[in-house]
Amino acid sequence: MKKVVLGFIVLFGVAVVVAPKLVGDVAQDIYRQSIDNYPWDKTQITVEHRAYEKSWFSSTAVTAFEIDLGLANMKTVTWVVTSHIQHGPVLFTDDGMKFGYAYMDTKNTFEGLPQEAQDFLDTHLGSDGIQMTSLIDFKQLSHDTFNIKNFTVIKDKVKATFGGLILRGTTPLDYSAMKGEIKFPASEVIGEKGRVYIADAAGSYHQHIYKKMMMLGDVSVSFPLVEATSTQGNVKLEGLSLDIHSGEKGGKLNLFESFKAKSIQAPVPLTAFQYDMEIKQVNMEAIEVWTDLFAQRQGQNTEALSEEQTRLLVDALLQEGLAFNQLLKVDGMGGSAMVDWDAKFIGFPNGKSIFDFQDKEPLLEALDMHLLVEVDEKVVNATPFSNMIAPYIKQGFVSKQGDKLVVDITLRQGVMMVNGKEIPRETVLQLLGGT
């Protein structure tokens, strides 16, 4: 039995000593993949592999990223990463002993910065202010960390403390998917006339690549508390959040964004806020056209699209089923208000384009719309518009439903209704600016 145990220990020891040399070649390939496969904007970033020195247990790689800033006083800046790469299978990481192909600990420097910017980095971040590590496991998943340490700047009687940034993420080496979490430790700015404080905040992302064109999935960021105090007044925002979702269904792209503030304490008439925006059934051809046009315009002096390019893009975008929805909710002045607007493109007959029509009348048939506005009456009464609302109620353009004032507008098959009352077609065309 002792011989078996001893043999196992010897075998394990040999593996630990010999394997790093064998893994070294794999680690080098993995390192190159992690750089070359990343979805950089190739028109803005040029990658240069400057050096790769390999030994038995570890390697050192130097890679430079020249970034095109396009600024008058600084056209480019070069970000140089120097990575110490441990060879597996046994890896000693910042989180203890792990197993995998490689573990990379990276230092960062910059070339081409203005002296003032370089002095700032040297003073406040130093050589270890930006920390990056990557563990490549045996499934060729990269477990990454990116940290910016906290620092404080004092200038002109203002003290600013940046809490830093902590990112942990996982992605395969082909970058077909990405997921992770981001943390923003508390930051603060204190001056003679006031203070701004941002409490610990956090975010997350979970995305996958779609047709080598874009990343789809979920991104969210939340700021539990933002406070600002000054001689002119105080502001306190609680529950700030931004949520973004993008996905594909039936070959069409769907996008959703939501921005909220659960509580607002400020010298403004708002106590809460929510805005949602949704774009549904976007034709993927429109994304491909825009991508091609953007690539064609790189390096050109003009940013405007030509008439032909505009028509190509609009025709690709205006396809049957395209929908644009918005929701706005606000609380304040003792009540609440809501605006809910849904619009859907039905399409033009016989495959025609919007550019084939000289007037706006075909738009009535091509668009379905519903606009609903609900406002608490006490909110309206607290504004200068309270004396102006009565004639609209009398004419039926505003409906009084309990304690709420309501405007309900629909457009279906070219017929517009306001609170159940049909609006003459001529009036609608005048509103559209057509004949």
Side-chain angles (χ1 to χ4, degrees):
M1 183 67 181
K2 292 182 178 179
K3 291 183 178 180
V4 174
V5 174
L6 180 60
F8 176 79
I9 293 174
V10 171
L11 181 62
F12 179 76
V14 171
V16 169
V17 173
V18 175
K21 176 62 176 176
L22 301 177
V23 173
D25 293 335
V26 178
Q28 183 175 3
D29 291 339
I30 286 175
Y31 175 81
R32 291 293 295 262
Q33 287 183 56
S34 68
I35 299 296
D36 296 339
N37 290 344
Y38 195 87
W40 313 104
D41 184 347
K42 301 301 190 295
T43 63
Q44 302 291 324
I45 299 177
T46 302
V47 180
E48 177 191 358
H49 293 283
R50 291 187 175 179
Y52 196 98
E53 298 177 1
K54 184 167 56 176
S55 62
W56 194 286
F57 291 99
S58 65
S59 300
T60 300
V62 180
T63 303
F65 303 87
E66 186 179 72
I67 305 170
D68 184 4
L69 301 178
L71 302 176
N73 60 340
M74 187 169 55
K75 293 185 178 181
T76 63
V77 64
T78 301
W79 172 30
V80 181
V81 297
T82 302
S83 301
H84 176 258
I85 305 170
Q86 292 183 43
H87 303 163
V90 179
L91 303 166
F92 299 94
T93 76
D94 292 344
D95 294 325
M97 189 175 72
K98 305 288 183 180
F99 297 94
Y101 283 118
Y103 179 71
M104 293 180 279
D105 188 354
T106 300
K107 304 298 182 182
N108 303 269
T109 57
F110 295 89
E111 299 174 355
L113 287 175
Q115 191 58 49
E116 184 178 358
Q118 188 65 58
D119 291 343
F120 181 91
L121 290 178
D122 294 342
T123 301
H124 299 292
L125 291 176
S127 60
D128 62 345
I130 302 176
Q131 300 174 339
M132 298 166 55
T133 65
S134 294
L135 168 66
I136 313 298
D137 66 19
F138 290 123
K139 296 181 180 179
Q140 294 203 16
L141 291 176
S142 180
H143 305 272
D144 308 310
T145 67
F146 178 86
N147 298 336
I148 301 177
K149 74 175 185 180
N150 66 312
F151 60 88
T152 298
V153 179
I154 301 176
K155 185 176 182 180
D156 298 332
K157 298 183 180 180
V158 175
K159 179 181 179 182
T161 299
F162 171 66
L165 181 148
I166 304 169
L167 184 151
R168 293 181 178 269
T170 301
T171 180
L173 294 182
D174 62 0
Y175 294 97
S176 58
M178 299 180 182
K179 65 177 181 179
E181 297 181 346
I182 307 173
K183 294 182 179 180
F184 306 93
S187 297
E188 184 179 47
V189 178
I190 301 176
E192 288 184 305
K193 296 184 178 180
R195 167 182 178 264
V196 176
Y197 173 74
I198 303 175
D200 291 350
S204 64
Y205 60 92
H206 194 167
Q207 297 185 304
H208 64 277
I209 197 165
Y210 179 73
K211 288 189 175 182
K212 298 182 180 180
M213 290 193 303
M214 65 185 72
M215 300 299 293
L216 301 180
D218 301 303
V219 178
S220 64
V221 182
S222 62
F223 292 84
L225 175 65
V226 177
E227 286 184 309
T229 59
S230 70
T231 55
Q232 298 178 344
N234 301 330
V235 175
K236 183 177 181 180
L237 305 176
E238 295 180 292
L240 280 177
S241 65
L242 174 65
D243 295 285
I244 302 174
H245 171 76
S246 58
E248 176 271 338
K249 185 176 182 181
K252 299 293 182 72
L253 181 65
N254 298 316
L255 305 171
F256 175 80
E257 294 186 10
S258 180
F259 178 64
K260 300 177 183 177
K262 292 183 178 180
S263 175
I264 302 174
Q265 300 176 33
V268 295
L270 296 181
T271 58
F273 173 90
Q274 176 181 343
Y275 174 70
D276 297 344
M277 181 186 72
E278 184 178 37
I279 305 176
K280 301 177 65 177
Q281 297 292 291
V282 178
N283 186 18
M284 292 307 300
E285 182 186 350
I287 305 299
E288 294 171 358
V289 169
W290 172 251
T291 302
D292 291 342
L293 291 177
F294 182 80
Q296 293 172 16
R297 291 166 58 217
Q298 289 297 314
Q300 296 182 4
N301 294 328
T302 177
E303 295 184 358
L305 295 176
S306 66
E307 182 178 344
E308 181 181 356
Q309 290 173 330
T310 301
R311 176 164 184 157
L312 186 66
L313 180 60
V314 172
D315 284 344
L317 184 62
L318 285 183
Q319 298 290 320
E320 182 179 350
L322 177 68
F324 182 60
N325 307 323
Q326 296 182 90
L327 174 66
L328 174 65
K329 292 182 177 180
V330 294
D331 294 340
M333 295 181 290
S336 62
M338 181 199 73
V339 179
D340 190 357
W341 178 42
D342 296 341
K344 184 176 182 179
F345 184 69
I346 304 302
F348 297 108
N350 303 320
K352 288 185 176 294
S353 162
I354 189 174
F355 299 98
D356 296 329
F357 302 99
Q358 299 298 320
D359 54 51
K360 304 293 177 58
E361 187 167 0
L363 290 176
L364 296 181
E365 307 290 342
L367 184 67
D368 275 3
M369 185 189 71
H370 183 208
L371 175 63
L372 178 63
V373 181
E374 293 183 353
V375 184
D376 287 342
E377 189 173 11
K378 55 181 159 184
V379 173
V380 177
N381 291 337
T383 70
F385 304 103
S386 58
N387 296 327
M388 302 169 56
I389 203 70
Y392 292 98
I393 295 177
K394 185 176 181 180
Q395 295 173 21
F397 290 113
V398 177
S399 172
K400 187 174 181 180
Q401 300 179 12
D403 295 331
K404 293 185 178 294
L405 299 177
V406 178
V407 177
D408 192 340
I409 303 174
T410 61
L411 178 62
R412 298 282 188 273
Q413 298 180 341
V415 178
M416 179 174 285
M417 307 285 289
V418 177
N419 294 331
K421 179 181 178 181
E422 183 175 346
I423 304 299
R425 194 177 185 87
E426 294 77 13
T427 303
V428 178
L429 288 174
Q430 288 178 0
L431 292 174
L432 290 174
T435 56

